[in-house]
Amino acid sequence: RVTVFVSAIMVWLVVSPLLPSFTLWPAGQPTAVAANTTANTTGGTAIATNTAPANNDIPPQTEPPTSANLTNWLNAFYASEQKRKTTFPDALPADAQPFDVLIINICSLSWSDIEAAGLMDHPLWKHFDIVFKNFNSATSYSGPAAVRLLRASCGQLSHSNLYQPSGNDCYLFENLAKLGFTQQLMLGHNGQFGDFLKELRSLGGMQSPLMDQTGLPVSLQAFDGSPVYDDLATLNRWLETENKQGNARNATFYNTLPLHDGNHFPGQSKTADYKVRAQKLFDELDNFFTELEKSGRKVMVVVVPEHGAALQGDKMQVSGLRDIPSPSITHVPAAVKFFGMKAPHQGAPIEITKPGSYLAISELVARAVDGKLFVEDNVNWNQLTSGLPETAEVSVIATVAEATIHTMKNNIRIKL
């Protein structure tokens, strides 16, 4: 599947120097309109896309789209991002209300995948209070995506800087821990392949012990034969544990991968149909939300997918390949739901349409961290959701090592 693509690129590399240079844009024409171009920079190779006018959060794009201008803009973007940070309070007020933060990180789910699977009208998406319609995951690989989410309290990093230490105030769960939230870690898998669990600890600052997985039902097997645990059972165990322990505040990170390419039902070798798996996941999340509502527990649930599954493919790569993080792969359905509120949100979800990424999630958590919105008679939803940080749609191409791991997964899946 890769040979044709690679061969075409090699032929182009040989022929392109012999062709006269040209541009599709007249000289001096601004590029604030949609642009989807690859640029090289010291921080790695990235896809820079800008479909909205620049604001104070996003460096303006006003120069012709030459390689040098794109590189300069990308460097300016990263320099700007280094200055951005979510401000959490030093301490909670005396009248703060305890609640839980549950972040659900889903592998292989984008808006494009949901549309391809015919599940855009699933009831789950109407269950949320807030839906980000233009959220960029910034990468097409699991480890980097999870680390970016765990470091959500600072601006976007280049791929190489993602593997360098960050200040403690960049780690979302560390910011919550300083305010009295007990950190917890759940996985819907064993976290061993690609040293995923190790990356969460070494790069994401997540040092909490892994929640006990003993006795959880196995709904799928991953491409390497490892267990993929049932999401509803795992989430219900979390809820039961919290109800027993009675922690005033906790912040839990849950990563799950039932939609990953190559997953198959136990006893079968053929990859399970994506739509069947997605339908089951959405049903289980919707059922879990219903149980949360019945429990009366105060919980802020944040759903942030890692990246898409590339179900449909595009002009640059075939279905299933994610080496180039195109918008169809990194445009993911992030969403938020508050449970246990005195005045829950009514009507259709609030849609955040401006370009955003992980910093917007961190800011939303910071705005709700005192828990007072759970007991207010009237919640100012406009104040809660307006002016969230915007982030240009820059997505980073993976390293050779990560691309090799992805190829290994595909090879194992094909052999199965």
Side-chain angles (χ1 to χ4, degrees):
R1 298 170 67 190
V2 183
T3 303
V4 175
F5 174 74
V6 173
S7 299
I9 292 296
M10 293 179 67
V11 171
W12 172 252
L13 290 175
V14 174
V15 174
S16 60
L18 305 177
L19 299 177
S21 62
F22 66 93
T23 177
L24 298 178
W25 286 267
Q29 178 153 334
T31 60
V33 294
N36 188 3
T37 314
T38 302
N40 290 315
T41 177
T42 55
T45 306
I47 302 297
T49 307
N50 185 22
T51 58
N55 62 8
N56 292 333
D57 292 341
I58 301 176
Q61 289 183 330
T62 57
E63 300 297 325
T66 64
S67 178
N69 286 339
L70 289 170
T71 298
N72 290 337
W73 182 88
L74 196 57
N75 289 335
F77 166 77
Y78 284 128
S80 174
E81 289 295 295
Q82 288 181 5
K83 303 174 184 177
R84 304 178 74 193
K85 187 178 298 183
T86 303
T87 301
F88 281 81
D90 294 329
L92 293 177
D95 58 348
Q97 300 296 312
F99 71 101
D100 304 327
V101 177
L102 172 61
I103 295 183
I104 302 176
N105 194 209
I106 304 172
C107 178
S108 302
L109 181 65
S110 69
W111 284 117
S112 176
D113 299 327
I114 297 173
E115 184 176 9
L119 294 173
M120 291 291 285
D121 293 327
H122 192 281
L124 173 66
W125 306 113
K126 299 179 178 65
H127 215 144
F128 288 101
D129 298 326
I130 304 166
V131 175
F132 290 83
K133 301 294 287 187
N134 200 7
F135 189 95
N136 178 37
S137 70
T139 180
S140 58
Y141 284 87
S142 297
V147 172
R148 289 182 182 278
L149 178 53
L150 290 171
R151 293 190 186 186
S153 296
C154 287
Q156 184 172 324
L157 294 168
S158 65
H159 188 77
S160 58
N161 285 337
L162 191 65
Y163 292 84
Q164 302 301 318
S166 288
N168 287 339
D169 50 357
C170 290
Y171 297 99
L172 175 59
F173 282 77
E174 181 64 25
N175 287 324
L176 291 172
K178 292 176 181 177
L179 297 174
F181 287 79
T182 302
Q183 291 187 29
Q184 296 186 109
L185 173 63
M186 288 195 304
L187 295 179
H189 51 96
N190 59 24
Q192 295 179 8
F193 189 85
D195 288 334
F196 182 81
L197 181 55
K198 289 182 179 179
E199 285 196 351
L200 294 186
R201 301 201 186 287
S202 63
L203 302 176
M206 177 56 68
Q207 304 304 326
S208 301
L210 181 62
M211 189 188 80
D212 181 27
Q213 297 174 325
T214 304
L216 286 173
V218 176
S219 60
L220 293 161
Q221 287 183 309
F223 64 92
D224 61 351
S226 61
V228 178
Y229 299 109
D230 183 82
D231 286 291
L232 184 58
T234 306
L235 289 167
N236 281 339
R237 176 171 291 186
W238 171 84
L239 181 58
E240 292 168 2
T241 301
E242 295 311 310
N243 287 334
K244 289 178 181 178
Q245 292 180 347
N247 292 328
R249 296 176 175 87
N250 78 73
T252 302
F253 181 80
Y254 176 46
N255 179 273
T256 185
L257 47 71
L259 305 182
H260 195 284
D261 190 22
N263 286 355
H264 51 282
F265 293 115
Q268 300 182 17
S269 59
K270 182 181 178 181
T271 297
D273 181 74
Y274 182 94
K275 181 176 182 178
V276 172
R277 288 179 284 148
Q279 178 78 49
K280 182 177 184 293
L281 173 64
F282 295 174
D283 289 348
E284 291 186 340
L285 287 177
D286 205 45
N287 290 338
F288 175 66
F289 286 180
T290 300
E291 291 302 313
L292 265 184
E293 288 174 337
K294 293 178 181 178
S295 73
R297 192 173 183 88
K298 296 180 177 65
V299 185
M300 178 183 184
V301 175
V302 184
V303 172
V304 184
E306 298 173 354
H307 54 73
L311 279 186
Q312 293 183 306
D314 52 40
K315 294 180 181 179
M316 295 298 294
Q317 56 194 353
V318 298
S319 173
L321 287 182
R322 294 182 278 106
D323 299 298
I324 299 174
S326 60
S328 62
I329 298 172
T330 60
H331 185 206
V332 300
V336 179
K337 174 69 177 178
F338 294 92
F339 296 90
M341 301 182 75
K342 182 178 180 180
H345 181 260
Q346 302 296 323
I350 299 168
E351 294 187 350
I352 308 298
T353 59
K354 294 180 179 179
S357 194
Y358 302 104
L359 196 63
I361 296 296
S362 178
E363 175 65 24
L364 196 56
V365 172
R367 292 181 183 183
V369 76
D370 62 12
K372 293 181 181 179
L373 57 78
F374 286 93
V375 295
E376 291 176 348
D377 294 327
N378 293 290
V379 176
N380 190 335
W381 291 97
N382 184 61
Q383 183 179 24
L384 179 66
T385 58
S386 295
L388 291 171
E390 297 180 32
T391 303
E393 297 176 36
V394 175
S395 296
V396 183
I397 293 177
T399 64
V400 173
E402 287 157 346
T404 301
I405 289 175
H406 185 223
T407 301
M408 289 170 57
K409 292 179 180 179
N410 279 335
N411 287 340
I412 294 173
R413 176 182 56 79
I414 291 170
K415 289 178 181 178
L416 289 174

